[in-house]
Amino acid sequence: MTELKHSLNFKFEWRSYQQNFLDNFEEHITDNHLHVVAPPGSGKTILGIEVLRRVNKRTLVLAPTLTIRNQWRDRLESFFLNENSLVDYTTNIKEPQFLTFSTYQSLHALNKRFLDNDDDSLLEFIKRNGIQTVVLDEAHHLKNEWYKCLMILKQIEDLTVISLTATPPYDSSGAELNKYFELCGPIDDEIAVPDLVKNGDLCPHQDFIYFSKPSETQIRYIVGYREDIIQFMNELKADESFQNLLLEHPFYKRTEEVLEEIYDKPSFLSAMLIFLNAAEFEIDKKKLLFLGFESTVVNFPTLTYDWLEILLQELLVVQREDLIQYEPILHDIEKRLSRIGVYEKKKVNFIGDEQLYRSLASSPSKLESIHSIIEQEQQILGNDLKAVVLTDFIRKEFLDFKGDEVTALNKLGVVSIFQYLRVKSAQSQYLGILTGSLVVLHKDVVSEFEVLLGSGTFSMQPLSSDADFVQITVSGNNKNSIVGTVTALFQMGKIKILIGTKSLLGEGWDAPAINTLVLASYVGSFVSSNQMRGRAIRMDANELSKTGNIWHLACLDPTINDGGKDLEQLKRRFSAFSGVSISGKTYIENGLDRLQLPEIFNEETDLDELNTSMVQSASERNTLQERWHEAIDKGSLLVREVKVPYSGKTPFRKAKKMRSVDAAQYLLIEVVAGLGLFLPEFLMKNIGTLLNKGIFQFVYFLLAGVVIGFAPKTYKALKLYFLFGNSIKKTEKIGKALLAYLIKTKRVHIGNSEITVETEQHSNGSFACYLRGASNHEGSLFVNLLHEILAPVENPRYLLVSSSWVKRTWDVRNYYVVPQDLGKRKKDAIEFHSFWKEHVENSELLYTRTKIGRKELLKARLAHVVYQFKEVSEKAITWK
């Protein structure tokens, strides 16, 4: 049998972060799974070959494309094989060798062939060929068909699964994400971007956002849309027939009889009550008592679009057939909603229809944003500019665009961006287009293109819009060479601004010279965003001082305070990658917070000032290098943490003096200072009482004055302490309870280094909780479980219920979730509860699958609604 351990040897020295990963390899592989997150440029393929060398079993390596499959073979030959190597390897999956490099498509095709053969199967074929290790490269690509094939292979006893990816598909649906982790196992290790920057494998880089407003036509449409919705809401609240429908609905009229149904739809009941309250209808207090609320004084949340969506979606779609007697009312509401664009394809959507979202995402205003970015970068970099603009669609209909009236370019795409820059840019001769079906070059670079590709291999035709540019057509085998040829011209600086599609250039394309990347793409996922971004952060061997600026585009919706869907998409995109803070204190973190954007975006937001600030930061490329290295020196590894945003209405700085331990200090200062002013004045005014009625009467009046004067402040300070001041301490206690449980159950291993729960308060009022000293896998497990405990109550098997007079009076949270993984078995839930009582507080462990438990679960879910508990946590990754 071939032995990889002796036949393969890495010919060079491992980089420090690669060696650190390999040092922990044995610990990670004990469960026959190795799941590694490694960014572009980290040598992922080479590490993969070293791992399968150490596993030393017959191996099938699967890649998403032929190009990446061939990279594995090439890396094996270049970095591991020597004259004495005796390794059988092939790219033919039908005749596997000791090492077989193939694609997911090929495995899928092989499985389909076996499905038509009753005498054989894919599983038997793999077993027969002795394959015991499967490598899943670019594992984020796994689709349902491929997933099915691979789960068949997982039936092989002691099969080792090695999964490699740059970005786990966190934005996939819950079901798809669960499948992904079921196949790949939990993440064992992550090679950190800061390590790659420190080692010189990735360049210092920064993400920027360039903001724009919709066109006047778009704004008029959006404003009209919002006004129609407000009018509809007001009319519906005044509609007595609709109110009567709700009052006669079984959920309200016969609450006790339909409890089982209510348990399944507590949000619908909440929406009903919130709507009736907004319509100024007095809610039956008995309903609230029956639902478990001790007090009938309830502060109902405002009727928002979200609540109205839940209410109408249920009535118009889910329960429509059961409400046939109210069909005229529902039909009328349906028609009105459809007319204003809120109801389409049996879906109620008040936030904005798809047409509105797409009009913002592909707004022509982004063409001016791209032009401004390119102009500014050109001024800064001069002849060194190497800019790439990536977008979703080609838009060939704009190839015939003529003249200078750019308002005709009303859709975002490769050709419209090219035409806009061609008209507006002073250096349009440096423009080029590269897509799978369209290549456009300036006539000045055609001669170099011909030298590189070969004469007689292509034809060209001048663009009708500008004869200085030609459209290149290549036939036959030369099609495969055209991407490399245009890329070479870009690397040489003959093309300085290359516009292309993310489908062609977003993954696998390599042009290290890029120093400016504009992501004009809105159809995409975490994965594609990170892959596109990876094009700009690779180091350039010809320019060791390279820095990369990555520009994202956002067209804001001026009618809502959060900026709208376009900015929301960017927030999701930014959670997929880490970077350095843009100004102020240096730190490295994922997410949008590091760009220090305004908390509220509306029509008063000065976008020009915001863009000017971004451009100024983008021009400071030397400072960017310094900030990266300063931030890198502050830490040694990426730490996963739970971040809890500040949710108070009072600005954090103002509220801080009355939070946490400061509450007692503040109270003491207030009382002492107050008494210092109060006592002399009281003594002067009441000296007669002291002389005439005696010391006891005097003291009685003094104490009464102190209580009347200072009790409200005492009450307020104590209430603030219970409501807010203990949230960071409470979270730390919860973290300690969770850590103790994980150590006891051996899911966290205490080695030579101490593992502790840490909390950090941030200047903006938010705070973070994480494990110090734990492995990547342990830290990730801790964060996932803590996030689940702190999240709003959904449908857990077990609840931790804590209740006291103070909490009932001040509406402090008294429900916490036992995470799903810890609540599968009663024994585990009881053990976790014991640590909770030791570290957090006395509480009751409640099983929610009984009649009493379900009622308490309903109360817990409604409590989050009615009391507006806003302490919503999020997961973050920070360099520490």
Side-chain angles (χ1 to χ4, degrees):
M1 172 181 129
T2 305
E3 283 228 351
L4 294 182
K5 278 190 175 180
H6 304 300
S7 296
L8 300 182
N9 281 294
F10 185 57
K11 299 177 183 179
F12 306 97
E13 285 191 19
W14 293 111
R15 302 164 188 169
S16 57
Y17 55 85
Q18 292 173 330
Q19 188 62 58
N20 289 338
F21 162 74
L22 292 171
D23 289 344
N24 296 314
F25 162 75
E26 293 296 340
E27 176 189 343
H28 296 321
I29 204 69
T30 51
D31 62 350
N32 283 333
H33 282 86
L34 179 66
H35 189 178
V36 183
V37 177
S42 58
K44 179 159 51 75
T45 305
I46 295 170
L47 273 178
I49 296 173
E50 176 64 18
V51 165
L52 61 88
R53 184 189 78 83
R54 295 186 180 200
V55 172
N56 198 32
K57 296 178 183 177
R58 206 170 174 92
T59 300
L60 172 63
V61 177
L62 296 167
T65 65
L66 290 172
T67 302
I68 297 175
R69 180 204 71 178
N70 293 339
Q71 282 180 6
W72 278 83
R73 181 195 59 201
D74 296 343
R75 297 293 190 275
L76 174 74
E77 294 170 349
S78 302
F79 290 84
F80 287 88
L81 292 183
N82 52 51
E83 293 179 2
N84 300 319
S85 297
L86 298 172
V87 179
D88 299 322
Y89 62 96
T90 182
T91 57
N92 183 4
I93 194 172
K94 295 176 183 177
E95 298 179 6
Q97 301 292 326
F98 200 87
L99 286 181
T100 304
F101 303 107
S102 189
T103 64
Y104 296 111
Q105 294 97 320
S106 297
L107 181 71
H108 178 55
L110 188 63
N111 184 49
K112 283 183 71 176
R113 196 183 78 180
F114 281 120
L115 289 175
D116 298 329
N117 184 352
D118 295 334
D119 299 326
D120 207 351
S121 68
L122 177 64
L123 181 61
E124 291 303 318
F125 174 81
I126 296 296
K127 282 182 177 179
R128 195 162 58 244
N129 283 279
I131 293 172
Q132 292 182 294
T133 300
V134 175
V135 177
L136 310 177
D137 193 20
E138 307 291 358
H140 54 262
H141 278 285
L142 299 179
K143 301 174 183 176
N144 284 333
E145 299 82 11
W146 299 349
Y147 167 82
K148 291 172 186 174
C149 296
L150 294 165
M151 288 307 292
I152 291 172
L153 302 191
K154 287 199 75 172
Q155 298 175 43
I156 297 172
E157 189 175 353
D158 293 328
L159 179 75
T160 300
V161 179
I162 299 167
S163 307
L164 308 171
T165 183
T167 312
Y170 288 122
D171 59 342
S172 297
S173 68
E176 288 178 344
L177 197 59
N178 288 338
K179 285 181 178 180
Y180 173 82
F181 282 109
E182 181 185 7
L183 179 63
C184 301
I187 295 171
D188 292 292
D189 211 342
E190 180 168 355
I191 295 177
V193 167
D195 278 327
L196 294 168
V197 174
K198 182 179 181 180
N199 203 67
D201 297 308
L202 295 181
C203 71
H205 53 275
Q206 184 58 280
D207 295 276
F208 301 97
I209 300 176
Y210 204 94
F211 296 93
S212 63
K213 290 181 179 179
S215 65
E216 288 299 322
T217 303
Q218 286 179 303
I219 291 176
R220 282 196 297 272
Y221 171 75
I222 294 168
V223 170
Y225 179 80
R226 301 283 182 225
E227 288 176 347
D228 288 344
I229 290 175
I230 292 170
Q231 183 180 347
F232 169 81
M233 287 182 69
N234 291 334
E235 290 173 353
L236 193 65
K237 284 190 289 186
D239 188 337
E240 293 183 4
S241 62
F242 184 70
Q243 285 184 28
N244 185 61
L245 185 159
L246 297 181
L247 295 175
E248 292 296 317
H249 193 284
F251 273 38
Y252 189 86
K253 189 173 184 178
R254 298 184 286 110
T255 309
E256 189 171 1
E257 298 174 28
V258 294
L259 262 185
E260 286 298 321
E261 294 176 49
I262 290 175
Y263 291 149
D264 293 329
K265 297 179 179 180
S267 296
F268 174 56
L269 176 61
S270 303
M272 288 178 65
L273 297 177
I274 291 166
F275 179 88
L276 289 170
N277 179 72
E280 300 181 352
F281 183 87
E282 189 173 346
I283 307 295
D284 184 350
K285 304 303 181 187
K286 292 179 182 178
K287 303 287 183 190
L288 298 174
L289 290 171
F290 182 77
L291 290 171
F293 296 109
E294 289 84 352
S295 171
T296 56
V297 179
V298 174
N299 297 317
F300 282 93
T302 304
L303 178 65
T304 62
Y305 292 156
D306 292 326
W307 288 119
L308 199 56
E309 273 183 24
I310 291 171
L311 179 66
L312 294 179
Q313 183 70 30
E314 192 73 22
L315 295 174
L316 293 177
V317 181
V318 182
Q319 299 184 29
R320 189 70 169 263
E321 293 183 4
D322 298 328
L323 300 170
I324 194 69
Q325 68 269 39
Y326 300 106
E327 181 57 29
I329 298 171
L330 297 176
H331 181 68
D332 179 63
I333 291 172
E334 180 184 328
K335 280 200 308 182
R336 288 154 66 192
L337 290 179
S338 299
R339 192 163 54 246
I340 61 178
V342 169
Y343 185 78
E344 189 178 352
K345 296 179 181 177
K346 294 192 174 183
K347 177 72 177 172
V348 180
N349 182 357
F350 281 100
I351 305 302
D353 61 7
E354 283 302 313
Q355 183 182 346
L356 187 151
Y357 291 160
R358 287 187 176 275
S359 73
L360 289 177
S362 60
S363 172
S365 66
K366 291 186 176 181
L367 292 170
E368 179 55 33
S369 296
I370 296 168
H371 171 246
S372 297
I373 291 166
I374 297 297
E375 288 291 298
Q376 296 290 345
E377 292 284 9
Q378 212 155 33
Q379 288 180 23
I380 297 160
L381 295 170
N383 202 44
D384 293 329
L385 176 70
K386 300 285 193 313
V388 171
V389 183
L390 292 180
T391 191
D392 299 299
F393 306 108
I394 297 176
R395 308 288 190 200
K396 288 185 180 180
E397 64 266 28
F398 293 114
L399 276 172
D400 297 327
F401 166 80
K402 292 185 176 72
D404 298 333
E405 191 54 55
V406 292
T407 53
L409 301 168
N410 57 6
K411 291 181 181 177
L412 196 64
V414 170
V415 180
S416 54
I417 293 169
F418 166 81
Q419 298 286 28
Y420 197 98
L421 295 179
R422 180 184 62 79
V423 172
K424 290 273 195 172
S425 176
Q427 300 188 56
S428 61
Q429 70 271 26
Y430 293 118
L431 286 170
I433 288 177
L434 178 57
T435 76
S437 62
L438 179 66
V439 176
V440 175
L441 302 175
H442 195 272
K443 63 182 183 181
D444 290 351
V445 301
V446 171
S447 56
E448 277 108 337
F449 178 80
E450 187 173 13
V451 169
L452 293 170
L453 191 65
S455 59
T457 56
F458 65 94
S459 61
M460 58 184 183
Q461 179 181 354
L463 290 188
S464 60
S465 54
D466 189 336
D468 286 343
F469 287 90
V470 295
Q471 181 176 343
I472 303 290
T473 303
V474 179
S475 57
N477 295 331
N478 294 310
K479 279 187 174 181
N480 299 327
S481 305
I482 195 166
V483 173
T485 304
V486 175
T487 302
L489 291 173
F490 177 77
Q491 288 282 109
M492 294 159 57
K494 302 298 181 181
I495 301 171
K496 296 187 185 300
I497 306 159
L498 189 60
I499 307 159
T501 52
K502 68 162 194 192
S503 57
L504 181 66
L505 306 181
E507 182 174 1
W509 181 61
D510 195 14
I514 301 171
N515 50 33
T516 300
L517 175 65
V518 182
L519 295 179
S521 167
Y522 63 90
V523 180
S525 60
F526 284 176
V527 172
S528 63
S529 298
N530 209 23
Q531 292 289 345
M532 287 189 288
R533 189 173 170 273
R535 304 310 102 211
I537 65 179
R538 289 180 183 271
M539 204 62 198
D540 183 4
N542 299 318
E543 182 53 67
L544 297 180
S545 61
K546 172 190 168 180
T547 57
N549 284 352
I550 303 108
W551 287 92
H552 308 258
L553 308 177
C555 183
L556 298 182
D557 180 347
T559 64
I560 50 179
N561 285 341
D562 64 2
K565 186 75 171 182
D566 218 20
L567 188 59
E568 180 190 320
Q569 291 285 73
L570 279 188
K571 287 179 181 177
R572 291 170 57 80
R573 178 183 286 185
F574 269 67
S575 65
F577 41 77
S578 301
V580 70
S581 55
I582 197 168
S583 62
K585 180 183 176 183
T586 56
Y587 59 89
I588 297 169
E589 188 179 70
N590 73 325
L592 206 55
D593 287 352
R594 59 189 173 85
L595 293 193
Q596 298 161 21
L597 300 177
E599 292 183 11
I600 294 176
F601 286 88
N602 53 36
E603 56 189 11
E604 297 177 8
T605 305
D606 191 337
L607 295 190
D608 290 337
E609 183 180 332
L610 203 52
N611 288 334
T612 300
S613 173
M614 287 282 174
V615 168
Q616 178 59 37
S617 296
S619 68
E620 298 168 351
R621 290 190 177 239
N622 291 333
T623 304
L624 175 60
Q625 292 209 10
E626 294 167 7
R627 290 186 67 79
W628 262 101
H629 293 298
E630 182 183 335
I632 287 170
D633 290 342
K634 289 181 178 179
S636 58
L637 73 161
L638 284 177
V639 173
R640 282 171 167 73
E641 62 185 19
V642 169
K643 186 190 287 187
V644 180
Y646 173 64
S647 58
K649 294 180 180 177
T650 306
F652 175 70
R653 293 180 184 277
K654 187 175 179 181
K656 185 181 178 183
K657 63 180 180 179
M658 296 196 299
R659 288 172 62 92
S660 192
V661 294
D662 293 335
Q665 185 181 0
Y666 169 76
L667 175 61
L668 181 63
I669 292 170
E670 285 280 302
V671 171
V672 170
L675 286 173
L677 296 172
F678 170 75
L679 281 176
E681 184 180 352
F682 181 84
L683 191 61
M684 292 292 291
K685 287 183 178 180
N686 293 278
I687 189 70
T689 303
L690 177 62
L691 296 174
N692 296 328
K693 298 189 177 180
I695 185 68
F696 289 109
Q697 194 76 12
F698 177 82
V699 170
Y700 173 80
F701 283 127
L702 174 64
L703 291 175
V706 169
V707 169
I708 292 169
F710 296 101
K713 287 189 175 180
T714 304
Y715 177 85
K716 184 178 181 181
L718 288 173
K719 183 173 181 179
L720 280 168
Y721 174 78
F722 279 102
L723 281 175
F724 306 116
N726 64 349
S727 56
I728 185 170
K729 289 185 175 181
K730 181 74 171 282
T731 304
E732 185 175 4
K733 289 177 181 179
I734 293 171
K736 287 179 178 178
L738 178 58
L739 176 60
Y741 170 83
L742 293 174
I743 291 173
K744 178 71 181 297
T745 55
K746 297 182 179 178
R747 299 177 71 179
V748 167
H749 303 282
I750 301 177
N752 298 326
S753 61
E754 185 183 7
I755 298 178
T756 57
V757 175
E758 302 287 337
T759 53
E760 292 179 359
Q761 183 89 59
H762 300 152
S763 59
N764 64 354
S766 66
F767 64 86
C769 183
Y770 62 94
L771 280 189
R772 184 183 293 278
S775 70
N776 187 292
H777 172 59
E778 291 167 341
S780 180
L781 174 66
F782 174 84
V783 163
N784 290 337
L785 293 174
L786 181 59
H787 178 70
E788 198 174 341
I789 292 169
L790 297 177
V793 178
E794 289 296 334
N795 191 28
R797 289 171 62 83
Y798 287 95
L799 271 178
L800 295 165
V801 185
S802 171
S803 184
S804 68
W805 175 84
V806 172
K807 290 187 175 184
R808 287 198 305 271
T809 304
W810 286 340
D811 302 338
V812 179
R813 175 174 183 164
N814 56 1
Y815 295 98
Y816 288 91
V817 172
V818 175
Q820 182 181 0
D821 196 39
L822 277 57
K824 289 178 180 177
R825 299 188 306 170
K826 184 177 181 180
K827 177 184 174 184
D828 296 332
I830 291 172
E831 189 160 20
F832 176 64
H833 184 220
S834 68
F835 289 109
W836 184 277
K837 289 190 290 186
E838 178 184 345
H839 292 276
V840 186
E841 61 186 356
N842 283 325
S843 61
E844 177 189 354
L845 179 67
L846 182 72
Y847 182 58
T848 63
R849 299 304 188 254
T850 64
K851 189 171 183 179
I852 295 174
R854 287 176 72 81
K855 186 171 181 179
E856 195 69 21
L857 176 61
L858 174 65
K859 178 182 167 185
R861 293 184 67 177
L862 289 175
H864 279 283
V865 174
V866 177
Y867 296 137
Q868 300 183 77
F869 188 79
K870 296 179 180 177
E871 193 176 336
V872 179
S873 64
E874 58 190 35
K875 290 181 271 191
I877 303 174
T878 308
W879 179 255
K880 295 184 186 293

